Amino acid sequence: MQLRAALTELLFLMKTETRRTSNVITSVTGATKIHAERASRWMNSTQLRVAVVQLGLLLFACLTYIIVQGVFLTNNPLLPSPSAILQAIIRGLDSGLFLRALSSTGWIVLVGTAGSLVLALPIGFVIGRNSSFYDATKPILLALFAVPYFVIYPVLVLLLGIGDAPLYVLAIVSGVFPMLLYVVTAVRQIPVAWVNLASTYGYPRRATIFKVQVPAALPMFLAGLRVTTGLVIVGVVIGEFILSQRGLGYTLQYESQLFAYPVVYGLVLTSWIVVLFLVLSLQLWEEHVRAWNRP
Amino acid sequence: MSRADGIRVRFRIWTIRVYLGLAALALWSAITGFFRGGSLVSHLTPWAVARSALQVIMAPSFVVDLLATLGEWGIAILVSLVLGITAGLLLGSNRVSSGVAEPLVYSMYGFPKTLLLPFFLMFLGAGLVEKSGFAVFSAMFWVAGPVFSGMRSLDRQHLQMATSFGHRLLSRWTKVVIPELMPSLLLGARFGIIISLVGVLNAELFVSQRGLGFLLLESLTQQANMSEVVGLSVILTLLPLLAYGLFGLLSRVILARSGIAEADLMS
C-alpha cells in the first residue's frame, strides 16, 4: 500500500513536471503537430498489425479444420467437410428450416426483451430516484443477477402446458431483473449538475427529462439492453432444449438426435452470425451514444 | 456521517427491506390464493413451496445428485478461473494481442454459448468431461473479460516506476499488478462462479444420468411431479444465491483489507 501511495505521488509530480516542460517546448518549437503525426502513424501501424494478426488467425483456424478433416478424419461424421456444411446451410435456408427456427426463437426473444423493458422501466425509475430505496434494493438486484432463471421453466410448462406461452414468460423473467438493475444504475448515473444547470437555464420539466436526463442515462440503458438480450436468448434456447415444439434449441436437439451433423454445424454457424451481428450492432450503438454523450 | 446517523440509515434500509419482503410474500400468497381453483397452483403457495423444497432435500437420492452437481461445478469453477485469468492477463498485457482478442472476448461475452452445447456432446460424450468442459467454456470468457479490461487499463507508468525503484518481475506483479487488478479479478471470479453453474445445469438438462439438472428434467418429463419440480427449482435458485452471497462477502473482506474499492458489476 505504501509503495502504491508513493508511486501515485511520484507519478503525479512527474506528470506535472513533464506537462510543464512539454508546454514550454511545444509553444516554442511547434512540436505538438509532429508528436500528433507520430502518434497517429504509430496508431495506424498497431491497427494494421492487429488486423493482419486477426486475419491470419482466422485463416489458420480455417486451414487447420480443412487439413484435420480432409487428411486425418475424412470419414468421421462428427467433422463434416466445409462443402457439406455449406450445402447444409444453403439447403436449410432454401427449405426454410433455418429461417423457421431463427424467426420462432427471435420473436420470443423480441417479445421477452420488450416485456422485460416495459416492466423494468417504471420500477427502475422509481427505485433509481429514491436513495433509500436504491440502497435497500441494490444488493438484492445484484444477487438476482446470479439466478439461472431457466430452472423455473419446468414449473411454467406444468402450469401453462407445452407451447410458446411458458417460453414467453421465461423470456420476460430472464430479462426483467438484469434490465431493472441497469435501468436503476442508469437513473442513478444522471449527473445532478446537468439537471441543476438545465433548471438554472429555465428548462421546463419535460425538456429536462428528454434533453438532459434521457440522453445521460442512454449509454447505461443500452448496455443493459445488450446484456439483457443475451440473457433472454440463453433462457429461451435452454427452454427450447428442455421441452418445446419448435425454435432454435428444439431444431438443434432434433437434428443432433438424427445425427444430421452438417445441419447442426450449419445452423449453429448461421445463428452465431445472426447473434454476433445483433450483439455487435447493439455494442456499436452503445459506443456511438457514449461518444456523443461525453461532456 | 456520525455513528448515530450511520445506524439510523442502516435501520431505514433494513426496514425497507423487511417491508419489501413482506409485500412480496403477501403478493405471492394473494396471487396463488386467487388461482387456487387449479390443483397445480396449490403447489405454489409459499408454504407448499417450502414444504416441497424440504421434501426434495430429505429424499435419499438427493445427496448423490447434489454431490454430482457440486463436483462438476467445483471442477468447472477451478478450471475456468485458471484459464480465464491466464487468458485475460496474457491477452491484455500487450497492445497487439489485446487488439486482436478484443472483439473475440467481448462478442463471446454476450454470445449464448448454449448454442454450442451439441458440439460438446458430440465430441466429449455424456459425462463429467462434457458437463464440466461446457461449463468451463461458458464461464471462462466471463472471467477473462474483467481481467482483460483491468489489464488494459493498468497504469503502465506505475510499472515503469516500480522498475526504476529496482523491483524485479515477481515483485512488480505482487506489489503493483495484482493489487491494481484485484477488483477485476474478484469480479471475474464472481461471474465465473455463477456462469459455471449455469453451464453445468445446462449440460445436465441436455443429456445426463445424474445431477440436479437431470433430476429436474426427469421429474418434469418422466413423472410430471409438480411438487418435486417446484422444490428443485427453489433449491437451484437458492444455490447460486448462496454461492454469490458468500463470495461477495469474501471479496468485500479482501478488498476492505487492501483498502481497494469494489469493481462495478455493470462496468
Side-chain angles (χ1 to χ4, degrees):
Chain A
M1 281 314 293
Q2 278 176 341
L3 175 67
R4 286 187 75 216
L7 286 177
T8 318
E9 200 175 330
L10 263 168
L11 195 66
F12 176 70
L13 284 172
M14 273 184 70
K15 270 183 181 169
T16 320
E17 273 309 305
T18 316
R19 206 176 298 135
R20 212 177 286 158
T21 320
S22 76
N23 278 348
V24 175
I25 295 168
T26 49
S27 62
V28 175
T29 59
T32 321
K33 207 176 165 188
I34 300 164
H35 279 305
E37 274 173 13
R38 269 190 203 156
S40 154
R41 221 178 303 145
W42 183 86
M43 191 79 170
N44 286 341
S45 74
T46 308
Q47 281 173 343
L48 190 71
R49 261 187 289 170
V50 166
V52 168
V53 176
Q54 277 173 340
L55 199 69
L57 281 175
L58 192 69
L59 280 174
F60 175 74
C62 291
L63 275 175
T64 309
Y65 182 87
I66 290 167
I67 291 168
V68 168
Q69 194 279 327
V71 179
F72 301 109
L73 297 165
T74 320
N75 295 321
N76 193 330
L78 289 179
L79 278 183
S81 66
S83 59
I85 297 171
L86 199 66
Q87 275 175 1
I89 292 175
I90 293 166
R91 234 180 295 128
L93 289 172
D94 196 37
S95 66
L97 177 75
F98 286 11
L99 283 181
R100 270 198 304 277
L102 282 169
S103 61
S104 167
T105 305
W107 177 247
I108 297 171
V109 168
L110 191 72
V111 172
T113 311
S116 53
L117 207 66
V118 168
L119 285 172
L121 270 176
I123 303 173
F125 196 72
V126 170
I127 295 175
R129 289 290 294 265
N130 187 310
S131 292
S132 301
F133 245 41
Y134 172 74
D135 290 338
T137 51
K138 199 187 174 190
I140 302 168
L141 289 176
L142 284 172
L144 286 173
F145 208 86
V147 177
Y149 290 101
F150 61 83
V151 297
I152 64 156
Y153 183 67
V155 180
L156 295 173
V157 168
L158 288 178
L159 276 178
L160 305 169
I162 303 170
D164 285 349
L167 283 172
Y168 282 118
V169 179
L170 177 68
I172 293 173
V173 173
S174 303
V176 72
F177 293 109
M179 196 67 227
L180 188 59
L181 187 60
Y182 276 93
V183 172
V184 169
T185 314
V187 173
R188 297 293 298 178
Q189 280 187 355
I190 297 169
V192 184
W194 291 11
V195 180
N196 289 343
L197 189 69
S199 140
T200 315
Y201 276 113
Y203 266 45
R205 193 180 158 74
R206 200 186 163 89
T208 310
I209 290 174
F210 287 105
K211 288 191 174 168
V212 179
Q213 290 178 320
V214 171
L218 208 55
M220 183 52 81
F221 173 75
L222 286 177
L225 195 63
R226 181 168 49 87
V227 173
T228 303
T229 311
L231 292 172
V232 171
I233 296 173
V234 172
V236 173
V237 172
I238 296 178
E240 288 171 347
F241 268 140
I242 297 173
L243 204 63
S244 76
Q245 291 166 320
R246 57 189 172 147
L248 203 54
Y250 166 78
T251 314
L252 275 175
Q253 169 100 308
Y254 182 75
E255 295 295 337
S256 56
Q257 277 169 356
L258 290 178
F259 305 109
Y261 294 125
V263 181
V264 175
Y265 273 81
L267 187 54
V268 167
L269 209 62
T270 314
S271 46
W272 193 340
I273 292 166
V274 171
V275 173
L276 274 187
F277 178 73
L278 182 76
V279 170
L280 290 178
S281 310
L282 284 170
Q283 201 169 323
L284 280 176
W285 187 16
E286 183 193 328
E287 277 166 18
H288 172 73
V289 170
R290 249 179 229 283
W292 171 76
N293 213 0
R294 209 162 286 144
Chain B
M1 193 191 284
S2 71
R3 197 182 155 80
D5 284 342
I7 291 170
R8 214 172 296 134
V9 168
R10 224 176 253 185
F11 179 74
R12 197 190 312 145
I13 286 171
W14 275 102
T15 311
I16 293 172
R17 279 181 195 160
V18 169
Y19 275 124
L20 280 176
L22 288 174
L25 207 63
L27 188 70
W28 182 1
S29 304
I31 292 172
T32 45
F34 184 76
F35 292 106
R36 226 190 167 89
S39 59
L40 286 176
V41 182
S42 63
H43 292 283
L44 295 176
T45 58
W47 279 115
V49 167
R51 208 173 41 236
S52 305
L54 268 177
Q55 273 172 359
V56 170
I57 292 171
M58 301 303 262
S61 66
F62 175 74
V63 181
V64 180
D65 288 303
L66 176 71
L67 287 176
T69 301
L70 288 181
E72 288 152 7
W73 188 19
I75 294 170
I77 290 173
L78 209 67
V79 181
S80 63
L81 286 186
V82 171
L83 289 181
I85 291 173
T86 312
L89 290 177
L90 288 177
L91 295 173
S93 61
N94 178 286
R95 271 178 218 270
V96 176
S97 66
S98 68
V100 170
E102 191 188 4
L104 179 75
V105 171
Y106 290 136
S107 60
M108 284 308 286
Y109 217 61
F111 182 77
K113 286 160 274 292
T114 310
L115 290 173
L116 304 177
L117 181 56
F119 293 119
F120 280 83
L121 183 70
M122 284 181 331
F123 288 106
L124 302 172
L128 176 81
V129 181
E130 172 255 335
K131 284 180 272 184
S132 295
F134 178 70
V136 168
F137 178 71
S138 302
M140 62 181 276
F141 292 98
W142 284 83
V143 179
V147 181
F148 178 72
S149 302
M151 202 60 195
R152 289 183 81 187
S153 56
L154 194 74
D155 200 332
R156 307 280 153 179
Q157 283 171 316
H158 282 175
L159 276 175
Q160 287 168 3
M161 194 72 79
T163 313
S164 65
F165 274 126
H167 284 273
R168 288 173 185 278
L169 184 71
L170 188 70
S171 169
R172 280 201 300 272
W173 272 80
T174 51
K175 291 190 171 153
V176 179
V177 179
I178 301 292
E180 268 200 49
L181 278 183
M182 194 54 87
S184 311
L185 287 170
L186 291 172
L187 184 67
R190 203 189 281 199
F191 278 141
I193 288 171
I194 302 163
I195 304 294
S196 51
L197 179 66
V198 173
V200 165
L201 290 177
N202 199 349
E204 283 179 353
L205 282 166
F206 197 71
V207 62
S208 181
Q209 294 294 314
R210 58 187 179 156
L212 294 181
F214 162 71
L215 206 61
L216 182 67
L217 192 66
E218 202 190 40
S219 49
L220 170 72
T221 53
Q222 304 296 317
Q223 305 155 16
N225 185 341
M226 184 65 163
S227 174
E228 199 175 319
V229 167
V230 170
L232 276 166
S233 300
V234 171
I235 291 164
L236 288 176
T237 305
L238 292 179
L239 198 64
L241 280 179
L242 188 73
Y244 180 86
L246 286 176
F247 189 77
L249 212 66
L250 180 74
S251 43
R252 230 166 288 144
V253 169
I254 293 171
L255 291 175
R257 276 193 174 185
S258 327
I260 305 168
E262 202 173 352
D264 195 354
L265 187 75
M266 287 155 297
S267 56

PDB file of all heavy atoms in Angstrom, chain A residues 10 14 245 289:
ATOM      1  N   LEU A  10       4.585  10.165  -6.729  1.00  0.00           N
ATOM      2  CA  LEU A  10       5.707  10.447  -7.631  1.00  0.00           C
ATOM      3  C   LEU A  10       5.222  10.654  -9.065  1.00  0.00           C
ATOM      4  O   LEU A  10       5.683  11.540  -9.783  1.00  0.00           O
ATOM      5  CB  LEU A  10       6.680   9.269  -7.608  1.00  0.00           C
ATOM      6  CG  LEU A  10       7.873   9.471  -6.670  1.00  0.00           C
ATOM      7  CD1 LEU A  10       8.608   8.174  -6.499  1.00  0.00           C
ATOM      8  CD2 LEU A  10       8.819  10.539  -7.224  1.00  0.00           C
ATOM      9  N   MET A  14       5.737  13.783 -11.442  1.00  0.00           N
ATOM     10  CA  MET A  14       6.388  13.644 -12.755  1.00  0.00           C
ATOM     11  C   MET A  14       5.496  14.160 -13.873  1.00  0.00           C
ATOM     12  O   MET A  14       5.944  14.828 -14.788  1.00  0.00           O
ATOM     13  CB  MET A  14       6.714  12.169 -13.017  1.00  0.00           C
ATOM     14  CG  MET A  14       8.050  11.774 -12.442  1.00  0.00           C
ATOM     15  SD  MET A  14       8.426  10.106 -12.877  1.00  0.00           S
ATOM     16  CE  MET A  14       8.730  10.246 -14.605  1.00  0.00           C
ATOM     17  N   GLN A 245     -41.747 -27.338 -29.074  1.00  0.00           N
ATOM     18  CA  GLN A 245     -42.156 -27.950 -30.337  1.00  0.00           C
ATOM     19  C   GLN A 245     -41.497 -27.290 -31.545  1.00  0.00           C
ATOM     20  O   GLN A 245     -41.622 -27.777 -32.655  1.00  0.00           O
ATOM     21  CB  GLN A 245     -43.676 -27.850 -30.479  1.00  0.00           C
ATOM     22  CG  GLN A 245     -44.372 -28.738 -29.471  1.00  0.00           C
ATOM     23  CD  GLN A 245     -45.840 -28.420 -29.340  1.00  0.00           C
ATOM     24  OE1 GLN A 245     -46.239 -27.259 -29.341  1.00  0.00           O
ATOM     25  NE2 GLN A 245     -46.654 -29.441 -29.212  1.00  0.00           N
ATOM     26  N   VAL A 289     -23.380   6.263 -28.783  1.00  0.00           N
ATOM     27  CA  VAL A 289     -24.088   7.118 -27.820  1.00  0.00           C
ATOM     28  C   VAL A 289     -23.132   7.601 -26.735  1.00  0.00           C
ATOM     29  O   VAL A 289     -23.168   8.757 -26.309  1.00  0.00           O
ATOM     30  CB  VAL A 289     -25.286   6.344 -27.207  1.00  0.00           C
ATOM     31  CG1 VAL A 289     -25.898   7.103 -26.041  1.00  0.00           C
ATOM     32  CG2 VAL A 289     -26.337   6.101 -28.252  1.00  0.00           C
TER      33      VAL A 289
END
